[in-house]
């Protein structure tokens, strides 16, 4: 097996792991539903490796973990007689050629636009009998990403705010509606209004040509940095956040901001 091409070796490893007589009990017990969360997790770990900076070994390792997920799903499909890994590779190869006619086909390179890509995707959805402007948007996407995709698709047919300023107006409207619900403390109503607020925020990011998930991730990381500085500042005084007053933590937070953290 060591002399075989790398992908063949990986396929052989997965076949051995899934062998009902000699394989790994854990791997044998898995199915598409139980493996799907790992697939999502590995995709995020690839993104995290890229975000951390140029560490080729780490990126290679994470890409290998992600590739394993494709091999895993393909092996389970092959066991059911649906398709093999080779079929997956052939299908994506054909799709990429089909969606790039400016490279592989009749179209001119000047037509290489997002609209052309979406037109090809529209044709593929139609062939699968998926109808409607919003057809085919994966429900498993992170909610902020899906919100941006939903309204980007709607915007293609003219259903959109005219500019980012108009989205900000809508954001203020939704914030007012949420504030009006606070005294009632009805959890269902509050969840509905918070959802509306997040949906509009995702669209504000889209109108500014920003990725909402990336924006929120940046805010998360900034909070972690600053709160870490708060903890360090309190520790220098022999305190923990649980021991400190809110005023003390706020002052440490403001100092962290002044330091550019």
């Amino acid at each position: 097996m060591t002399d075989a091409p790398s992908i063949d070796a990986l396929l052989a490893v997965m076949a051995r792991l899934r062998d009902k007589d000699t394989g790994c009990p854990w791997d044998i017990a898995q199915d598409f539903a139980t493996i799907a969360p790992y697939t999502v997790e590995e995709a995020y770990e690839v993104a995290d490796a890229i975000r951390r900076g140029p560490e080729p070994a780490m990126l290679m390792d994470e890409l290998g973990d992600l590739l394993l997920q494709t091999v895993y799903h393909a092996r389970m499909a092959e066991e059911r007689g649906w398709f093999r890994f080779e079929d997956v590779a052939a299908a994506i190869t054909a799709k990429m050629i089909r969606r790039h006619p400016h490279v592989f086909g009749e179209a001119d390179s000047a037509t290489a636009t997002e609209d052309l890509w979406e037109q090809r995707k529209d044709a593929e959805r139609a062939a699968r009998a998926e109808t409607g402007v919003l057809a085919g948007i994966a429900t498993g996407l992170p909610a902020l990403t899906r919100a941006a995709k939903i309204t980007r698709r709607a915007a293609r047919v003219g259903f959109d705010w005219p500019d980012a300023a108009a989205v900000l107006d809508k954001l203020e409207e939704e914030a007012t509606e949420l504030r009006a619900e606070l005294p009632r403390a009805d959890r269902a109503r509050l969840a509905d209004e918070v959802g509306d607020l997040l949906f509009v925020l995702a669209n504000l990011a889209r109108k500014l040509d920003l990725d909402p998930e990336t924006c929120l991730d940046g805010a998360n990381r900034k909070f972690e940095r600053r709160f870490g500085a708060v903890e360090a500042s309190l520790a220098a005084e022999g305190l923990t956040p649980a021991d400190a007053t809110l005023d003390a933590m706020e002052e440490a937070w403001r100092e962290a901001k002044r330091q550019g953290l």
Side-chain angles (χ1 to χ4, degrees):
M1 187 168 63
T2 55
D3 295 329
S6 296
I7 191 62
D8 290 341
L10 180 57
L11 294 172
V13 166
M14 181 52 64
R16 177 72 181 275
L17 290 172
R18 290 279 299 178
D19 187 286
K20 295 189 182 302
D21 297 321
T22 62
C24 169
W26 187 89
D27 288 289
I28 295 168
Q30 304 312 305
D31 58 26
F32 293 107
T34 61
I35 291 299
Y38 296 101
T39 308
V40 174
E41 179 181 338
E42 295 300 349
Y44 277 114
E45 291 188 2
V46 168
D48 188 57
I50 293 169
R51 185 164 43 234
R52 287 172 181 269
E55 293 189 34
M58 177 184 291
L59 179 58
M60 181 184 69
D61 186 63
E62 297 298 349
L63 286 170
D65 290 344
L66 185 58
L67 175 60
L68 177 66
Q69 297 302 306
T70 301
V71 168
Y72 213 128
H73 287 288
R75 179 64 196 177
M76 291 187 291
E78 182 175 354
E79 292 166 0
R80 290 159 175 76
W82 294 353
F83 53 80
R84 302 180 305 155
F85 177 85
E86 292 80 1
D87 300 315
V88 174
I92 189 58
T93 299
K95 180 188 290 185
M96 295 307 291
I97 292 172
R98 185 170 63 249
R99 290 186 179 178
H100 292 81
H102 56 288
V103 176
F104 302 103
E106 71 286 355
D108 186 270
S109 61
T111 66
T113 65
E114 184 177 350
D115 286 342
L116 176 61
W117 177 272
E118 290 296 338
Q119 288 168 15
R120 296 285 168 161
K121 291 177 70 174
D122 286 344
E124 291 165 10
R125 284 190 288 267
R128 296 193 298 266
E130 295 178 352
T131 59
V133 172
L134 305 182
I137 299 176
T139 57
L141 289 170
L144 287 175
T145 296
R146 192 161 187 266
K149 280 184 173 289
I150 286 172
T151 52
R152 184 177 295 113
R153 191 79 66 79
R156 288 173 53 207
V157 295
F159 193 74
D160 195 14
W161 287 280
D163 51 36
V167 186
L168 274 173
D169 291 341
K170 182 64 175 177
L171 190 64
E172 292 172 2
E173 176 187 326
E174 295 296 348
T176 299
E177 291 181 6
L178 174 58
R179 189 180 297 278
E181 289 293 336
L182 292 177
R184 294 174 53 189
D186 183 304
R187 289 184 61 81
R189 290 293 305 156
L190 289 172
D192 186 63
E193 294 298 344
V194 169
D196 288 346
L197 200 61
L198 289 169
F199 187 82
V200 175
L201 276 170
N203 280 278
L204 178 59
R206 175 183 62 84
K207 292 296 284 186
L208 295 171
D209 198 25
L210 298 169
D211 173 57
E213 290 288 339
T214 301
C215 293
L216 182 55
D217 180 70
N220 289 341
R221 291 170 183 273
K222 179 167 61 178
F223 183 89
E224 289 171 337
R225 288 194 306 273
R226 289 179 179 174
F227 195 78
V230 169
E231 290 180 305
S233 176
L234 294 174
E237 300 177 19
L239 298 172
T240 68
D243 302 324
T245 65
L246 178 58
D247 286 344
M249 286 190 283
E250 285 282 4
E251 176 54 36
W253 180 272
R254 286 191 289 270
E255 178 58 29
K257 287 185 67 175
R258 284 193 291 268
Q259 294 176 8
L261 296 178

